Amino acid sequence: MPPSIQGCALSSLDTNLAHEALPERQSPFLLFARRLLGNRAFVIGGSLFLIVLVLAVFADQIAPFKPNANNFRARLEAPSAMHWFGTDHFGRDILSRAIHGGRLSLFIGLSVVLFTGVFGTLIGAASGYFRRLDNILMRIMDALMAFPAILLAITVAATLGASVQNVILALGIATTPHTARIVRASVLVVREMEFVEAARALGASHMRILFRHILANAMAPLIVRLTYVFASAILAEALLSYIGVGPPPPAATFGGIIANGRDFMVEAPWVTLFPGLIILIVVLGLNLLGDGLRDVLDPRIRV
């Protein structure tokens, strides 16, 4: 073979090998989804939480009985084929009440997440970006953080009265200071980066810089924080209901079911056992979900 033809063949072969060696580019969304599905904590936690969420959303179709249907003939019955989780002192089916209680408890948890996500983000972003507001806002947050979160929630709920709205408000106030400080810390880091300086040099407004450039790149710690707020809100709601400042009866919540069975723990332990196990599953799922998101979103852990 002539040298020129041989050289062309080798060049073509090298080009083909180079193209084969280059990995196929994937979209950022697919790469992110692959990292999530490859994280064991995220998959296990997401599966546990998804099961409880489906049961809560379709509670009317899944629950075998009405949550507040009394049947005194079946009072304090042990778990059986008809009542899988047994019945309480009013003859109400514990499984049905737990399924419907999941709906209300998850609604309270989600509402607290939205409350602390919105107000915590706004306070933390304003404090981290506008330095003149930093000292004022952070001293207010420090004053709220001086009280233990659950003690602050109990005080607010007891002052306002027992209702779903007051529980959400109490837990939202108790969890917002920590969220605000996390957002502030992220904003303080991102606001000094080069692309923010470039946007400022190009004449971008403060609101555009804050929401489009800074907060968009400071959301990872906030997302992880909100998963833990969700779990903490469900636990705190159970505690508030147990001491009598949560949603009033006959509303079915995890804490309310446990509170109704505290006088029968020896005689009928299933009244408190099964709702407690459901709380354990929900909180464990949310914590594993948060751990998985932290592992995927934190570049230091990912590397």
Side-chain angles (χ1 to χ4, degrees), residues 97-110:
R97 286 182 61 78
I99 292 175
H100 282 83
R103 174 185 290 180
L104 184 54
S105 294
L106 291 179
F107 170 76
I108 291 174
L110 180 60

Side-chain angles (χ1 to χ4, degrees), residues 127-139:
S127 178
Y129 186 77
F130 301 104
R131 305 301 295 167
R132 291 175 297 179
L133 300 176
D134 187 24
N135 192 47
I136 299 174
L137 294 177
M138 285 301 102
R139 296 298 76 77

Side-chain angles (χ1 to χ4, degrees), residues 70-77 87 90-91:
N70 298 333
N71 183 9
F72 290 99
R73 294 183 178 180
R75 181 177 179 273
L76 295 178
E77 278 193 4
T87 61
F90 288 121

